[in-house]
Amino acid sequence: MIVGDLLHLDDLDIRLAWGTPELLARQITGVTSTDLQDPARYLQPGELVLTGLVWWQPEDGSAALRFATALRSARVAALMAGEGTHGAVPASLAEACRTHGIPLLAVPSGTSFRAVTDRVYLRLWGGLQAGVPDAAAIPEAARRELAGLIHSGAQAAEVLAHAVSRLGVPECSVSTTGGRVIAEPPAAAAEVPAGRVAGTGSGTGSALPVGPQENSPFDGWLLHGGPAAEGADTPMLRGLADLLAPLAARAHAEAAARRQAAGRLLGLLAVDGPADLAEALAACGLPAEGPLVTVAARIDGGPDDWAAYALAEALHPLGVPFAAGTDPAGRTAALVAAPAARVAERLRRARSALQARLTGRRSLRAGVGPASPAAAGPLRAALVQARYVLAGAAGPIGSTAELDSLAGLLRGIPPEVTAAFHSRLLAPLAAHDGENAVSLLGTLTVFLDHDGSWARTAESLHIHVNTVHYRIRRIEELTGRNLARLQDRLDLRAALLCAPAGR
């Protein structure tokens, strides 16, 4: 498919804002929807880029040129700009596209990006199928029926059920690469809750990629053929995977739009001060009053945005509204309309399958904050708590519900700070222990573990109680603290808990 074909798609009313015949002859390899100011790292050469122009503001005279520069660096095929946000394609954008040689097409407010994406992928993947030998395994009549279902907006489960019925392919299922089941045979679906992890039922045979496989390890689609679909049926499965590709492209575009909406909401929460969240909450499908549970996440050793893909995969099976994205500072978070305990449990159950998709030393971690009203101040405070838990959780998935001890509270403090506090209070004892056989640090630990009981400390250390008195006086002399005072006991207990790992 070439760029010029877009101007002839029935009923979409796409118009040319700027472009030359030579540029309109460019080949299209895929579709990406974005409203980022600089989307270059998410784009592939030859893609058609759709934007709602949310990023464009009249007072920013260089915004259009920066956006066009990013598209040129990614070597995209063309730009389609929606007129719904500003009423028309800005003249500055047309000029920027002219400068960088990017054909620009205008999408009227009455035409949805989903309709554009579906039509493009129907044409794009249909053309690919014509050149694929395995496509001949799908009868032409069945291909037309399935394409018609996809064009009418049918969901993956309906299309797959129709394909299985028409083609006689048994036990097919479709999942994301993250393991979430998208569609499966009716019998399996009746027995297993929606959103289960692939591989626990049918679909144990071959797995074929469906549609474009993105950079994230979690959001591509796979077609599982099952044991009965091996061998002679493999060409038919490959043809079916090609036919299902527009659905995968549609799902990818919708997921990208949801992440962008979530990113805008998180951007509002990243800035101090009052903020009207009503429009941003509505764009994410979140309840205006709440309560909402905050989740902070990251993938150690992985790109910032991967964690947003992983959160979406983990939270989908809850069946509740949620928004997962990355704020302007690159921090991933989610807001979920479900109880905190349920969210934490879902993340713990989903993590093993998601972690299995990561290579090397990459590790998925998350912190679950408390429930909060859907207002800027409370949500910011809840996000701070979620990020604190993320920084200091003992395991890969933590929750503020677990912050019920001094040890749990201290884990969220940066190790450089805790190590300095430990040294500041206990360095004299460490120096003493390095030169003597008697451990004052050990004595202090046992004394505090036994709530300051001289007798129980002596019994635990197998020494006379007078020896305990002597050692405690020596500890007080070296630290300048009085262990008869609760405040000093708390300080020394905290210092012991702040010992660097391995000590």
Side-chain angles (χ1 to χ4, degrees):
M1 183 180 188
I2 63 173
V3 175
D5 292 338
L6 298 167
L7 301 173
H8 305 293
L9 295 177
D10 295 340
D11 305 324
L12 296 186
D13 298 324
I14 296 170
R15 305 187 312 277
L16 180 64
W18 181 83
T20 65
E22 182 181 60
L23 294 175
L24 294 178
R26 285 179 173 177
Q27 291 288 333
I28 296 173
T29 61
V31 184
T32 290
S33 177
T34 182
D35 269 312
L36 297 175
Q37 173 65 72
D38 183 2
R41 63 176 174 156
Y42 301 106
L43 304 177
Q44 300 295 324
E47 282 190 319
L48 172 66
V49 177
L50 280 68
T51 180
L53 296 176
V54 174
W55 53 267
W56 184 78
Q57 298 298 328
E59 62 272 14
D60 187 348
S62 62
L65 187 59
R66 292 199 304 272
F67 187 79
T69 301
L71 300 190
R72 181 184 179 184
S73 69
R75 294 179 292 151
V76 304
L79 172 64
M80 297 186 73
E83 296 180 321
T85 302
H86 299 287
V89 175
S92 61
L93 182 58
E95 183 59 32
C97 287
R98 185 193 305 272
T99 299
H100 286 304
I102 301 169
L104 173 63
L105 293 83
V107 182
S109 57
T111 299
S112 71
F113 280 3
R114 173 172 172 172
V116 174
T117 300
D118 286 353
R119 299 291 288 278
V120 169
Y121 270 105
L122 281 171
R123 289 283 298 273
L124 183 61
W125 287 96
L128 287 177
Q129 291 164 17
V132 177
D134 291 332
I138 306 293
E140 181 61 31
R143 264 205 311 275
R144 286 198 301 269
E145 289 177 21
L146 293 174
L149 273 177
I150 294 170
H151 180 57
S152 69
Q155 298 300 308
E158 181 182 355
V159 176
L160 184 66
H162 191 82
V164 170
S165 172
R166 290 285 279 114
L167 303 175
V169 179
E171 299 186 26
C172 282
S173 65
V174 177
S175 76
T176 63
T177 51
R180 179 171 53 89
V181 172
I182 302 296
E184 57 189 342
E191 298 168 2
V192 184
R196 70 167 176 82
V197 174
T200 58
S202 64
T204 57
S206 58
L208 301 172
V210 179
Q213 301 297 296
E214 302 300 324
N215 292 329
S216 160
F218 309 111
D219 69 331
W221 277 22
L222 297 173
L223 174 64
H224 303 269
E230 295 286 358
D233 286 330
T234 298
M236 186 175 290
L237 287 175
R238 289 174 181 164
L240 180 57
D242 285 336
L243 282 168
L244 293 172
L247 287 175
R250 176 195 299 170
H252 173 70
E254 292 174 347
R258 288 193 295 270
R259 285 193 301 273
Q260 290 163 17
R264 290 192 289 271
L265 174 57
L266 294 172
L268 292 175
L269 296 175
V271 180
D272 290 334
D276 184 359
L277 303 182
E279 184 177 343
L281 288 167
C284 294
L286 294 171
E289 301 298 329
L292 298 173
V293 166
T294 54
V295 181
R298 71 170 186 266
I299 293 180
D300 294 334
D304 292 339
D305 59 327
W306 279 14
Y309 290 82
L311 276 183
E313 281 294 290
L315 296 172
H316 261 296
L318 287 174
V320 300
F322 72 88
T326 305
D327 72 11
R331 298 174 299 180
T332 291
L335 304 179
V336 192
R342 188 180 172 203
V343 173
E345 176 61 21
R346 173 89 280 275
L347 291 173
R348 291 189 178 104
R349 290 180 59 189
R351 183 182 180 272
S352 60
L354 297 172
Q355 182 64 36
R357 296 292 303 167
L358 297 172
T359 58
R361 301 174 66 87
R362 296 184 175 115
S363 177
L364 171 63
R365 306 180 65 85
V368 180
S372 165
L379 282 176
R380 286 193 188 105
L383 268 176
V384 169
Q385 295 180 62
R387 288 171 178 144
Y388 188 86
V389 173
L390 171 63
I397 308 296
S399 170
T400 53
E402 299 161 358
L403 287 180
D404 55 2
S405 68
L406 178 60
L409 185 65
L410 292 173
R411 278 196 295 266
I413 300 175
E416 296 82 1
V417 176
T418 54
F421 181 75
H422 172 84
S423 177
R424 190 174 299 117
L425 270 66
L426 300 180
L429 301 187
H432 170 277
D433 290 357
E435 299 174 356
N436 296 273
V438 173
S439 173
L440 294 183
L441 281 172
T443 301
L444 175 63
T445 299
V446 174
F447 182 74
L448 294 177
D449 284 346
H450 288 88
D451 304 319
S453 168
W454 307 94
R456 284 189 289 144
T457 300
E459 182 181 357
S460 178
L461 293 175
H462 306 292
I463 58 177
H464 194 277
V465 69
N466 289 340
T467 304
V468 175
H469 279 276
Y470 169 77
R471 291 186 185 179
I472 295 301
R473 284 198 302 272
R474 186 63 178 144
I475 289 170
E476 291 176 332
E477 291 171 0
L478 291 173
T479 63
R481 302 296 175 124
N482 181 357
L483 285 168
R485 295 181 64 245
L486 176 61
Q487 183 61 55
D488 286 349
R489 287 191 188 185
L490 288 174
D491 288 345
L492 292 175
R493 166 62 78 187
L496 287 170
L497 293 171
C498 287
R503 292 192 187 179

